[in-house]
Amino acid sequence: MAAVRTLRKVCQHSLQCLLHTSASRQEAVVISGKKLARQIRDEARADVEKWMLAGHRRPHLSVILVGDNPASHSYVLNKTRSAADVGISSETILKRSDISEEELLDLIFKLNTDHRVDGLLVQLPLPEHIDERAICNAVAPTKDVDGFHVVNVGRMCLDQSSMLPATPWGVMEIILRTGIATMGKNVVVAGRSKNVGMPIAMLLHTDGRHERPGGIPNLITADMIKEGAAVIDVGINRVRDPLTGKSRLVGDVDFEGVRQKAGFITPVPGGVGPMTVAMLMKNTIKAAKNVLLYPPERIRMAAAS
């Protein structure tokens, strides 16, 4: 709790939070990730059609799913459904949780060198006996639609063309397509995970220093933000509803409280989540086009490096 209080003080200082009591102030604009994701899927569908009319084969996404984690199975199902919606073919390769790291690496190598596979992702998290970083680095950078390979992370940090991690890219698209100004603004990224917080910080050109990671329901409250601030919630937490007794998803932001003060806010669910899956589809199309730029020999070399 001490860390949370410290974060609260930092946010109040850095964002110069001013408490206003005007009863006439309008509530925050609720940004619909579902609506924006629908726009992006429409763009992706048109891109696929144009790609195929030019004589190319349909883009294909392969997903490796290890174990029986219900959340992972749900995420993968959403991704394959979205792929079908935009005209991308896909397959889900199921593996037992006791698969060895060597067996998984062998499977990844086969998919890396399969010319029919354009995009490849290994659904995280993986069982504890498998090194996730080794697995992420085994996926060929040109097929790495998650954007987790060290080459793609490095190119992103240098502001070079790369596969961007889907969730951070989704956040940036929310900001850009909503017209939220970031130039010269103070931005707080509550979380420094390698797959979300750090890439968002790099994309926003911040210094990446954060008090603590997210993952705490209602961590961000109204008194921690500036009047009219844009709040994009990447957190996913499952909590029990005291009224119904059923579990439900909430973010790291106190949505009802913050929406009274913010200028823009994303809900959970229905905010960043749909955008993540939509950006994954865009990366799969990008991977298909990369085949022309990177022949199989180059892919093998990249995968072995």
Side-chain angles (χ1 to χ4, degrees), residues 264-276:
F264 297 88
I265 190 169
T266 58
V268 176
V272 174
M275 293 293 290
T276 297

Side-chain angles (χ1 to χ4, degrees), residues 9 12 24 35 47 70 93 104 112 115 125 129 134 153 166 174 178 195 201 216 254 259 262 264 289 295:
K9 291 178 181 178
Q12 289 174 330
S24 63
K35 182 178 179 180
D47 206 359
I93 304 172
L104 186 53
N112 280 343
H115 73 277
H129 67 280
V153 174
I174 287 175
T178 309
N195 296 339
I216 301 176
D254 176 15
R259 73 185 298 184
F264 297 88
K289 295 178 179 180

Side-chain angles (χ1 to χ4, degrees), residues 209-282:
R209 291 178 294 178
H210 317 295
E211 288 295 311
R212 62 170 298 145
I216 301 176
N218 301 323
L219 170 67
I220 308 299
T221 53
D223 60 315
M224 298 168 68
I225 70 163
K226 183 179 180 180
E227 188 86 20
V231 181
I232 299 177
D233 192 353
V234 185
I236 300 178
N237 307 283
R238 192 172 293 278
V239 301
R240 185 169 296 279
D241 191 313
L243 297 179
T244 65
K246 298 180 179 179
S247 64
R248 62 188 180 91
L249 292 179
V250 298
D252 291 347
V253 175
D254 176 15
F255 182 81
E256 293 302 328
V258 171
R259 73 185 298 184
Q260 306 297 326
K261 190 176 181 183
F264 297 88
I265 190 169
T266 58
V268 176
V272 174
M275 293 293 290
T276 297
V277 178
M279 304 326 292
L280 189 67
M281 299 306 107
K282 297 274 278 189

Side-chain angles (χ1 to χ4, degrees), residues 127-190:
E128 292 184 358
H129 67 280
I130 297 177
D131 182 347
E132 288 191 353
R133 176 39 52 194
I135 297 303
C136 291
N137 286 345
V139 177
T142 54
K143 298 190 178 189
D144 173 33
V145 294
D146 262 335
F148 291 164
H149 192 286
V150 65
V151 168
N152 284 323
V153 174
R155 292 182 65 85
M156 175 195 66
C157 292
L158 294 173
D159 199 24
Q160 296 182 357
S161 176
S162 68
M163 291 288 195
L164 297 176
T167 296
W169 191 13
V171 170
M172 293 304 298
E173 284 296 313
I174 287 175
I175 292 172
L176 293 172
R177 291 177 185 244
T178 309
I180 298 171
T182 58
M183 184 65 68
K185 304 292 184 180
N186 292 320
V187 179
V188 175
V189 180

